[in-house]
Amino acid sequence: MNTERIGIIGGTGWLGAALARALLDSGFVEADRLRLSNRSGSHPLAETGAHLLADNQALVNASDVVILSVRPEQFKALNVDASGKRVISLMAGVTSQTIREATGAETVVRAMANAAVEIRQSFTPWHCAQLLSDVDADFIQRLLECVGTASRVPTEEGIDYLSALSGTGPAFPALVMTALTRQAVIAGIPEDVARQAAHGVVVSASQLLVNHDPQAMIDSLVAYKGVTAAALQSLIDEGFEDQIGRAVEAGANVARKGM
Ligand SMILES: NC(=O)c1ccc[n+]([C@@H]2O[C@H](COP(=O)([O-])OP(=O)(O)OC[C@H]3O[C@@H](n4cnc5c(N)ncnc54)[C@H](OP(=O)(O)O)[C@@H]3O)[C@@H](O)[C@H]2O)c1
């Protein structure tokens, strides 16, 4: 159990609430040291024993670590002085410099979670431009690990890029799943079977990747020269990897421009 007091501005929203519950369930912070704010100051999360506030400055004053979990377009309205505090922003497309200028905080961490926080399976990259002590870096890493895995990245540009990669959570697999389903239906497979087949591939069979190297798996399937090899080779020949690269760049450009 940590002794730091944690405040989450926007702590009752989709992401903030999932993080708050994970911090409490994992024992990372005790309820009395956790403050959550929204514009009404009320939410069922109050039942956990965490403090609910409508006053963001009061939350900042009573916290050692302030987490920003409002939507990017709601950030300007916050108007808080967080000088002397460590700030962790979960917002996409709002730069550390903007956050430093708006809040007065010297230490600003940007972290990019994804929708899998809901099942505590998010990969959450984070970046901090300031020098962090080992203790502070470890604290941030462990805090983010309450909703999955996490890794510090060396540049803020990396966060913008990863916003369009890991930040997209289940989006790419969902697109693959719907494409596989639709194409199977077009090929004459009954829709319920097509759905089961696509689910079996994207959700079930992909579990093998938990402890198999993906490149080794592709190499051995291609070497087998069977049905799977022909399908994979077609994707490779049609520039699948370049297309993935362009898709992630398109998303990253939005994160770089800011929201
Ligand atoms: N959703 C995702 O998959 C995802 C993935 C990665 C990153 N993110 C980032 O996570 C952040 C939050 O997204 P979300 O999906 O959790 O949004 P959300 O559900 O709309 O949550 C926003 C929260 O902010 C509160 N809020 C708004 N204005 C406020 C103010 N002036 N003072 C205090 N609280 C205020 C809202 O509560 P009231 O309306 O009750 O005031 C709500 O609790 C975003 O910046 C987004 O970029 C989201």
Side-chain angles (χ1 to χ4, degrees):
M1 189 75 70
N2 296 285
T3 53
E4 277 93 342
R5 299 162 305 161
I6 299 173
I8 309 179
I9 298 182
T12 61
W14 180 82
L15 181 56
L19 178 62
R21 289 191 195 282
L23 294 178
L24 292 170
D25 290 350
S26 64
F28 187 84
V29 68
E30 60 189 36
D32 193 41
R33 291 180 185 276
L34 182 63
R35 285 169 177 73
L36 312 170
S37 72
N38 62 15
R39 285 168 289 194
S40 64
S42 65
H43 190 270
L45 268 169
E47 287 162 16
T48 63
H51 303 272
L52 258 292
L53 295 89
D55 182 340
N56 292 317
Q57 191 60 53
L59 174 146
V60 171
N61 295 345
S63 303
D64 304 303
V65 177
V66 176
I67 299 173
L68 300 173
S69 192
V70 294
R71 295 186 183 197
E73 66 273 17
Q74 296 167 330
F75 173 61
K76 272 200 185 107
L78 293 188
N79 204 15
V80 288
D81 177 359
S83 41
K85 308 288 179 177
R86 283 168 286 163
V87 169
I88 302 174
S89 166
L90 302 177
M91 297 180 292
V94 183
T95 66
S96 298
Q97 193 185 338
T98 301
I99 296 165
R100 265 195 302 278
E101 284 170 7
T103 64
E106 293 82 33
T107 304
V108 173
V109 170
R110 276 191 65 196
M112 187 47 56
N114 69 44
V117 293
E118 209 172 294
I119 52 168
R120 299 182 190 168
Q121 295 272 353
S122 171
F123 167 65
T124 308
W126 61 277
H127 169 73
C128 181
Q130 289 75 49
L131 268 183
L132 285 177
S133 68
D134 288 349
V135 171
D136 284 347
D138 179 62
F139 175 85
I140 293 159
Q141 176 73 19
R142 285 188 296 109
L143 184 150
L144 296 173
E145 282 175 351
C146 291
V147 286
T149 57
S151 195
R152 187 175 186 178
V153 296
T155 64
E156 186 159 358
E157 158 59 23
I159 295 296
D160 288 332
Y161 185 85
L162 290 168
S163 299
L165 199 169
S166 48
T168 61
F172 293 156
L175 193 64
V176 171
M177 207 161 145
T178 54
L180 288 171
T181 305
R182 283 201 201 105
Q183 290 299 311
V185 170
I186 289 168
I189 304 293
E191 190 168 343
D192 58 333
V193 178
R195 279 185 202 285
Q196 266 185 302
H199 186 277
V201 166
V202 177
V203 180
S204 309
S206 64
Q207 295 298 311
L208 280 170
L209 293 168
V210 171
N211 51 18
H212 283 75
D213 174 60
Q215 189 60 56
M217 192 175 258
I218 290 167
D219 291 346
S220 71
L221 288 166
V222 169
Y224 193 76
K225 294 193 189 321
V227 173
T228 311
L232 285 177
Q233 198 60 55
S234 169
L235 277 175
I236 294 165
D237 293 346
E238 296 291 331
F240 178 71
E241 192 168 317
D242 290 344
Q243 199 167 354
I244 289 288
R246 286 193 295 276
V248 178
E249 277 299 339
N253 279 335
V254 173
R256 289 179 192 120
K257 261 194 281 168
M259 279 171 264

